[in-house]
Amino acid sequence: MEKARSSFSSRLGFVLAAAGSAVGLGNIWRFPYLVAKYGGGMFILIYIIVVLTFGFSLMIAEIGLGRKTGQSAIKAYTKLDKKCSAFGVINAIVPIIITPYYCVIGGWVLKFLWAYITTPAKVIADTGLFASFAFNAAEPVEPILWFLLFLGITVVIVCIGVEKGIENVSKFLMPLLVVLVVGVAIYCCTLPGANEGIKYYLKPNMNDLKPITVLAAMTQAFFSLSLAMGIMITYGSYMKKDNSIEKSTWQICAFDTGIALLAGLAIIPAVFALGSPETLKSGPSLMFIILPQVFANMAMGRFIAILFFILVFFAAVTSSISLFETVVSIIIDQLKAKRQNSIIITILICLIIGLLSSLGYGPLENMTVIGMQFLDFFDFISNSVLMPIAAFLTCVFVGWIIGPKAIISEVESNKEKFSWKKLFVIVIKYVGPIVIVLILVASILQAMGKLSI
Ligand code: TRP
């Protein structure tokens, strides 16, 4: 069975893929819309605190578990304690739900890329491309085709096994993405009227300090850092014993958060400069509504838009291949399926959940689950319910079942001091489990309309 997984080129290849997978749509598409939705500065403040505490501690725990056991999520828990095999299974369900709708958003990115290649930026902004494309009940086929194209590209890369090639290309393109995002952010922050937006972005407002904001920040941190779904356990299992777990963790956290903050600066101030604060609440479509307006008014806007969507596409595809690969190896491990069959099962899952997500914004818009459209529902159930549960179980497992010492000794096994050991122990044993349970209960009650917070 192991053989099938290591077909992911080489060990080093997988490490790079897992690290590179952290930066993706989560940073550029999801983070800015959450900032807008949950109150600007307060969300950012909470997000940073969450990354420094939960994000850091959970990543150390996951990488530590992986390196200690040399196994991927499901087997890592079982190896350390037979009774806890279910813990790994919960971790494994998350990517199964995320991969399909990730591909739907990837399809949106491709559509916008194609639109800018074929249409002037002004026309795209004036016609309100996103609404007529993704939210059009009369024409559901187009978003589905783009979703299928993105899924197809992902599957082809996984099947012919050129992840490494893609990784190499994106290692070169990622810095370019950073430069471009910085450029667009500077442009947007200097637009007349952007100051209000920068203030909104940076100044925490006490009224926004609500349990739901903390939950949103926490789950976004998990999503963006690829935590609470077993990925980092696998990543850790491929890490060399003499590498520093603590240093790598800080680097991944800092890099990932830096890109997210910049993406927010490229989008939020523009909302104010364009005088459309009502779009702040527009959720998953925010990036696709605001950026076209920015590009339409920018010198060389069309060229920059094409470049931007190419780079976002690469960021998304490196993430989608490792999400897809994760699901494939989970199915290989759990069902003892052959790799080929497991790829077919994964495609079928993606088709079912992906089609529902795509149609949910079109002809099925009136069909909602607990008041949410399908894509929002899948996002909610994976990010706001399953990921906190997975994170809670990991905290309990490391904090109370095997004990933090097991991970600390792994972190220190290269003879380096674990500088933030105290923080790690306090978060994993006490703060993590308690805060996660409180927040989870509050937010589920809220989603069910039983609590207004
Ligand atoms: N972190 C990725 C992003 O920001 C999304 C993601 C979550 C992911 N879990 C993952 C990517 C697992 C690859 C593997 O977009």
Side-chain angles (χ1 to χ4, degrees), residues 17-18 21-27 95 98 102 220 222-227 229 231 256 315 318-320 322-323 326 387:
S21 80
V23 174
L25 292 171
N27 309 61
I98 289 185
Y102 203 90
Q220 169 60 16
F222 295 163
F223 184 93
S224 190
L225 295 167
S226 309
L227 293 172
M229 57 179 79
I231 281 277
D256 190 78
T318 49
S319 291
S320 72
S322 67
L323 275 164
T326 310
M387 278 160 85

Short mmCIF file of all heavy atoms in Angstrom, two decimals, residues 17-18 21-27 95 98 102 220 222-227 229 231 256 315 318-320 322-323 326 387, ligand 1:
data_model
loop_
_atom_site.label_atom_id
_atom_site.label_comp_id
_atom_site.label_asym_id
_atom_site.label_seq_id
_atom_site.Cartn_x
_atom_site.Cartn_y
_atom_site.Cartn_z
N ALA A 17 5.34 19.76 -2.02
CA ALA A 17 3.93 19.89 -2.40
C ALA A 17 3.09 20.27 -1.19
O ALA A 17 2.22 21.15 -1.28
CB ALA A 17 3.43 18.59 -2.99
N ALA A 18 3.35 19.64 -0.06
CA ALA A 18 2.55 19.93 1.14
C ALA A 18 2.79 21.36 1.61
O ALA A 18 1.85 22.06 1.99
CB ALA A 18 2.86 18.93 2.24
N SER A 21 1.28 23.66 -0.83
CA SER A 21 -0.17 23.57 -0.86
C SER A 21 -0.82 24.52 0.13
O SER A 21 -2.00 24.85 0.00
CB SER A 21 -0.61 22.15 -0.56
OG SER A 21 -0.57 21.91 0.82
N ALA A 22 -0.06 24.98 1.11
CA ALA A 22 -0.66 25.89 2.09
C ALA A 22 -1.16 27.17 1.42
O ALA A 22 -2.22 27.69 1.74
CB ALA A 22 0.35 26.23 3.19
N VAL A 23 -0.40 27.66 0.46
CA VAL A 23 -0.83 28.89 -0.22
C VAL A 23 -1.72 28.52 -1.39
O VAL A 23 -1.30 27.81 -2.29
CB VAL A 23 0.39 29.69 -0.72
CG1 VAL A 23 -0.08 30.88 -1.54
CG2 VAL A 23 1.22 30.15 0.45
N GLY A 24 -2.94 28.99 -1.32
CA GLY A 24 -3.87 28.66 -2.40
C GLY A 24 -5.05 29.60 -2.39
O GLY A 24 -4.93 30.75 -1.96
N LEU A 25 -6.18 29.07 -2.84
CA LEU A 25 -7.39 29.89 -2.87
C LEU A 25 -7.76 30.38 -1.48
O LEU A 25 -8.38 31.43 -1.33
CB LEU A 25 -8.55 29.07 -3.45
CG LEU A 25 -8.41 28.71 -4.93
CD1 LEU A 25 -9.49 27.72 -5.35
CD2 LEU A 25 -8.50 29.98 -5.78
N GLY A 26 -7.36 29.61 -0.47
CA GLY A 26 -7.66 30.02 0.91
C GLY A 26 -7.12 31.40 1.21
O GLY A 26 -7.78 32.22 1.87
N ASN A 27 -5.94 31.70 0.73
CA ASN A 27 -5.32 33.00 1.01
C ASN A 27 -5.92 34.12 0.17
O ASN A 27 -6.12 35.22 0.65
CB ASN A 27 -3.82 32.97 0.71
CG ASN A 27 -3.14 31.81 1.38
OD1 ASN A 27 -3.45 30.65 1.11
ND2 ASN A 27 -2.22 32.10 2.27
N PRO A 95 -10.94 16.53 3.72
CA PRO A 95 -10.55 16.79 2.32
C PRO A 95 -11.51 16.20 1.30
O PRO A 95 -11.60 16.69 0.18
CB PRO A 95 -9.16 16.15 2.20
CG PRO A 95 -9.02 15.28 3.38
CD PRO A 95 -9.90 15.81 4.45
N ILE A 98 -13.90 19.01 0.91
CA ILE A 98 -13.32 20.26 0.40
C ILE A 98 -12.91 20.16 -1.07
O ILE A 98 -13.16 21.07 -1.86
CB ILE A 98 -12.10 20.69 1.26
CG1 ILE A 98 -12.59 21.15 2.63
CG2 ILE A 98 -11.32 21.80 0.57
CD1 ILE A 98 -11.51 21.69 3.52
N TYR A 102 -13.55 23.04 -3.95
CA TYR A 102 -12.32 23.76 -4.30
C TYR A 102 -12.18 23.80 -5.82
O TYR A 102 -11.78 24.81 -6.41
CB TYR A 102 -11.13 23.03 -3.66
CG TYR A 102 -9.89 23.88 -3.44
CD1 TYR A 102 -9.71 24.57 -2.23
CD2 TYR A 102 -8.89 23.98 -4.40
CE1 TYR A 102 -8.58 25.32 -2.01
CE2 TYR A 102 -7.75 24.74 -4.18
CZ TYR A 102 -7.61 25.40 -2.98
OH TYR A 102 -6.48 26.17 -2.75
N GLN A 220 -10.65 29.49 9.37
CA GLN A 220 -9.88 29.98 8.23
C GLN A 220 -8.40 29.67 8.44
O GLN A 220 -7.69 29.30 7.50
CB GLN A 220 -10.11 31.48 8.02
CG GLN A 220 -9.16 32.15 7.03
CD GLN A 220 -9.22 31.55 5.62
OE1 GLN A 220 -10.16 30.84 5.28
NE2 GLN A 220 -8.22 31.83 4.80
N PHE A 222 -7.18 27.16 10.04
CA PHE A 222 -6.99 25.74 9.76
C PHE A 222 -6.98 25.49 8.25
O PHE A 222 -6.13 24.78 7.73
CB PHE A 222 -8.12 24.90 10.39
CG PHE A 222 -8.16 24.93 11.89
CD1 PHE A 222 -9.29 24.53 12.58
CD2 PHE A 222 -7.05 25.34 12.63
CE1 PHE A 222 -9.33 24.56 13.97
CE2 PHE A 222 -7.08 25.37 14.01
CZ PHE A 222 -8.23 24.98 14.68
N PHE A 223 -7.95 26.10 7.57
CA PHE A 223 -8.06 25.90 6.13
C PHE A 223 -6.80 26.38 5.41
O PHE A 223 -6.20 25.69 4.60
CB PHE A 223 -9.29 26.66 5.60
CG PHE A 223 -9.58 26.45 4.13
CD1 PHE A 223 -10.47 25.47 3.74
CD2 PHE A 223 -8.98 27.23 3.15
CE1 PHE A 223 -10.77 25.26 2.39
CE2 PHE A 223 -9.26 27.04 1.81
CZ PHE A 223 -10.16 26.05 1.43
N SER A 224 -6.40 27.61 5.76
CA SER A 224 -5.30 28.22 5.05
C SER A 224 -3.97 27.53 5.33
O SER A 224 -3.11 27.43 4.46
CB SER A 224 -5.23 29.70 5.44
OG SER A 224 -4.34 30.37 4.61
N LEU A 225 -3.82 27.05 6.56
CA LEU A 225 -2.56 26.38 6.91
C LEU A 225 -2.63 24.88 6.60
O LEU A 225 -1.72 24.13 6.94
CB LEU A 225 -2.23 26.59 8.38
CG LEU A 225 -1.95 28.04 8.80
CD1 LEU A 225 -1.96 28.17 10.32
CD2 LEU A 225 -0.62 28.53 8.25
N SER A 226 -3.71 24.46 5.96
CA SER A 226 -3.95 23.03 5.67
C SER A 226 -3.88 22.16 6.92
O SER A 226 -3.30 21.08 6.91
CB SER A 226 -2.95 22.50 4.63
OG SER A 226 -2.90 23.31 3.50
N LEU A 227 -4.52 22.66 8.00
CA LEU A 227 -4.53 21.88 9.25
C LEU A 227 -5.86 21.16 9.42
O LEU A 227 -6.80 21.40 8.66
CB LEU A 227 -4.33 22.80 10.45
CG LEU A 227 -2.95 23.46 10.55
CD1 LEU A 227 -2.95 24.50 11.66
CD2 LEU A 227 -1.89 22.41 10.82
N MET A 229 -6.88 18.29 8.85
CA MET A 229 -7.34 17.31 7.86
C MET A 229 -6.23 16.32 7.56
O MET A 229 -6.21 15.68 6.52
CB MET A 229 -7.83 18.00 6.60
CG MET A 229 -6.81 18.90 5.96
SD MET A 229 -7.48 19.62 4.47
CE MET A 229 -8.47 20.90 5.17
N ILE A 231 -3.30 16.50 6.63
CA ILE A 231 -2.26 16.77 5.64
C ILE A 231 -0.89 16.94 6.28
O ILE A 231 0.11 16.39 5.82
CB ILE A 231 -2.58 18.08 4.89
CG1 ILE A 231 -3.63 17.82 3.85
CG2 ILE A 231 -1.35 18.66 4.24
CD1 ILE A 231 -3.11 17.29 2.58
N ASP A 256 2.33 32.00 4.89
CA ASP A 256 0.93 31.85 4.53
C ASP A 256 0.10 33.06 4.98
O ASP A 256 -0.72 33.59 4.23
CB ASP A 256 0.40 30.56 5.17
CG ASP A 256 -0.97 30.20 4.66
OD1 ASP A 256 -1.04 29.68 3.54
OD2 ASP A 256 -1.95 30.46 5.36
N ALA A 315 -1.61 28.67 -8.13
CA ALA A 315 -1.71 28.47 -6.68
C ALA A 315 -2.82 27.48 -6.37
O ALA A 315 -2.69 26.61 -5.51
CB ALA A 315 -1.96 29.80 -5.98
N THR A 318 -1.88 23.71 -7.51
CA THR A 318 -0.96 22.97 -6.62
C THR A 318 -1.71 22.50 -5.38
O THR A 318 -1.43 21.43 -4.85
CB THR A 318 0.24 23.83 -6.18
OG1 THR A 318 -0.25 25.09 -5.72
CG2 THR A 318 1.23 24.04 -7.29
N SER A 319 -2.68 23.31 -4.92
CA SER A 319 -3.47 22.87 -3.77
C SER A 319 -4.43 21.75 -4.16
O SER A 319 -4.58 20.78 -3.43
CB SER A 319 -4.26 24.03 -3.18
OG SER A 319 -3.38 24.94 -2.56
N SER A 320 -5.07 21.90 -5.32
CA SER A 320 -6.07 20.88 -5.67
C SER A 320 -5.42 19.53 -5.94
O SER A 320 -6.00 18.50 -5.61
CB SER A 320 -6.92 21.33 -6.86
OG SER A 320 -6.18 21.30 -8.04
N SER A 322 -2.82 18.34 -4.41
CA SER A 322 -2.49 17.63 -3.17
C SER A 322 -3.74 17.28 -2.37
O SER A 322 -3.76 16.27 -1.67
CB SER A 322 -1.43 18.35 -2.34
OG SER A 322 -1.89 19.54 -1.86
N LEU A 323 -4.81 18.08 -2.52
CA LEU A 323 -6.07 17.67 -1.90
C LEU A 323 -6.57 16.38 -2.54
O LEU A 323 -6.98 15.44 -1.86
CB LEU A 323 -7.13 18.77 -2.11
CG LEU A 323 -7.14 19.91 -1.11
CD1 LEU A 323 -7.94 21.09 -1.64
CD2 LEU A 323 -7.75 19.45 0.21
N THR A 326 -4.56 13.43 -1.57
CA THR A 326 -4.87 13.01 -0.20
C THR A 326 -6.09 12.10 -0.18
O THR A 326 -6.08 11.05 0.45
CB THR A 326 -5.22 14.25 0.66
OG1 THR A 326 -4.20 15.20 0.49
CG2 THR A 326 -5.31 13.88 2.12
N MET A 387 -13.72 20.39 10.90
CA MET A 387 -12.34 20.77 11.22
C MET A 387 -12.16 21.12 12.70
O MET A 387 -11.19 20.67 13.32
CB MET A 387 -11.85 21.88 10.30
CG MET A 387 -11.38 21.30 8.97
SD MET A 387 -11.32 22.49 7.66
CE MET A 387 -9.75 23.20 7.90
N1 TRP B 1 -4.42 25.64 2.35
C1 TRP B 1 -5.01 25.61 1.06
C2 TRP B 1 -5.39 27.02 0.66
O1 TRP B 1 -5.12 27.95 1.36
C3 TRP B 1 -6.26 24.78 1.02
C4 TRP B 1 -6.09 23.47 1.62
C5 TRP B 1 -6.67 23.06 2.73
C6 TRP B 1 -5.28 22.43 1.15
N2 TRP B 1 -6.28 21.80 3.00
C7 TRP B 1 -5.44 21.40 2.05
C8 TRP B 1 -4.46 22.30 0.08
C9 TRP B 1 -4.78 20.23 1.88
C10 TRP B 1 -3.79 21.12 -0.10
C11 TRP B 1 -3.94 20.10 0.78
O2 TRP B 1 -5.97 27.21 -0.37
#
